[in-house]
Amino acid sequence: MQDSTPQIRREVGQYIIRNIFASSGLSLYVLVDTVFIAAAGGTLGLAALNISLPMFNFFNALGLLFGIGGSTIYSIHKLKQPEKVATLFGQLLIFCFGLGSLLALLLNLFPQQILTLLGADSQTMGIALGYFRIISLGAPFFMINYVCVNFIRNDGNPQLTMIATLTATLVVVFLDWLLIFVFQLHMIGAAIATIFSPLTSLTILTWHRKYPARKLQLKFALPEFKNLKQAASLGIPSFLTEMSTGVSIFAFNWVLLKLSGNAAVAAYGVIANIAIVVLALSNGIALGVQPIASREYGKRDLKNVKTAIRLGLQVALGLSCILYFILVFFKTPIVSVFNHDHSAQLAQIAIHALPLYFISVFFASQNLVIMLSLVAIEKAKSAFTLSLLRGYFILISAVFIFAALFGLNGVWLSVPFTEACVCALGLYSLTNALKNIDQR
């Protein structure tokens, strides 16, 4: 019998490369916004942006909840039981568009109350308000874009998702420049440009209908509760992973505001936006592993499942080394890109924080691969537990305890501490899960 390991490694490698580009594209427009807003709005603009980011993470997290979960169900059944998932894609699109529209309405009815809860003060409220209201209008488009990206990727067309997300990023870069600097719309312009990202991506993703190997059909049907529940149960680790970024930004903003004021919040804004891109690159690896691992698990080829997961973990470690080297050795020029006010306080805080905070990348990249690998082999409960520990229980406790004990250094070190604890537990859970599958 021919050994399929080289073929699986090659296939996973191709998926990883395309998904790294695709995932980075989804996050790069946030980074572009940050750079342009720093130029137009200075330190207070950065602080206002960082206060609004948790809501942006919330939209993305909801899209991942149903996109990852639904596409995992689709991958498992599309070959042997396609009738089970014939209308799943259409159901999730309808539900996410409706839920996103409701959120957009509610957030525009109570923007000041929500921004106050997120940490806005008298200095940042006026700057953040317009950005927040416009970004909220994009909620349904952010959500359905994530559903489409994940289903099309799992339908064997990761190249199209890569093209869609990279094109969307280029469109946002151009519109950011045009609206912020040419039309002088500042943060309002940045918000309008950002909404064009999912719209551009969705337009390009419609080309999937011409993909020769397409099995995915767009059949609209009223959402069924059992399908929504099943998708959400598999997608909740990804939801919690994405939301953990927003929750940590929220917690960090409150702690940093008390420790060092808006300059510290702005410095964290720089770090948080870099982290979004760093985590997106790592998530690209996880998203490259998941479709292959799910497919091979559905075929009960457990050797290939292990090969896919092992390769993902190896690539994640290599990428972490490269990213940490870049962030540490180029920390001063990286921070200066965002520091258009030439704020000495912002520069001092951010440059000192970067090497401490991003120790976390070595563990975070492994955690993302581990959690999606557990989802791929139908161990969603284990992935769910890890997500809760990573984004909530350990992290939030560590932020407040470490801040009280070590001040600003403690805030930055709480993230690598959290990721290291979760990585140890995750590797243990994944090893046991794979052993139990072997024993069946």
Side-chain angles (χ1 to χ4, degrees), residues 236-244 313 363-375 377 379-396 417-433:
I236 201 163
S238 296
F239 170 86
L240 292 173
T241 297
E242 179 68 23
M243 270 307 296
S244 68
L313 293 171
F363 308 107
S365 60
Q366 302 290 305
N367 288 334
L368 293 173
V369 175
I370 288 167
M371 286 187 286
L372 271 190
S373 296
L374 287 167
V375 170
I377 59 174
K379 298 294 180 184
K381 286 184 179 179
S382 296
F384 172 69
T385 302
L386 292 173
S387 297
L388 283 178
L389 292 172
R390 178 178 180 263
Y392 305 89
F393 296 131
I394 297 178
L395 178 62
I396 302 304
F417 171 80
T418 299
E419 297 287 4
C421 291
V422 173
C423 187
L425 292 170
L427 287 171
Y428 176 78
S429 298
L430 183 60
T431 302
N432 278 349

Side-chain angles (χ1 to χ4, degrees), residues 5 34 78 110 140 184 207 209 258 296 301 306 311 342 346 357:
T5 300
T34 307
K78 68 177 181 179
F110 307 104
Q184 295 290 305
W207 296 350
R209 68 187 186 277
K258 291 180 181 293
E296 297 303 311
D301 194 332
K306 290 182 179 181
L311 180 61
H342 304 292
L346 185 153
Y357 184 98

Side-chain angles (χ1 to χ4, degrees), residues 241-309:
T241 297
E242 179 68 23
M243 270 307 296
S244 68
T245 303
V247 171
S248 64
I249 289 172
F250 172 74
F252 274 56
N253 284 344
W254 274 99
V255 172
L256 291 170
L257 199 59
K258 291 180 181 293
L259 286 175
S260 295
N262 280 318
V265 175
Y268 177 59
V270 174
I271 292 168
N273 279 281
I274 295 170
I276 287 172
V277 176
V278 168
L279 289 175
L281 293 171
S282 300
N283 203 40
I285 299 170
L287 291 169
V289 170
Q290 180 264 326
I292 307 301
S294 291
R295 185 193 69 199
E296 297 303 311
Y297 178 76
K299 291 160 57 177
R300 292 298 184 260
D301 194 332
L302 302 180
K303 181 182 177 183
N304 285 343
V305 172
K306 290 182 179 181
T307 298
I309 293 171

Side-chain angles (χ1 to χ4, degrees), residues 199-214:
L199 294 175
T200 303
S201 176
L202 286 167
T203 300
I204 293 172
L205 290 174
T206 60
W207 296 350
H208 184 63
R209 68 187 186 277
K210 298 181 179 179
Y211 182 57
R214 175 173 65 95

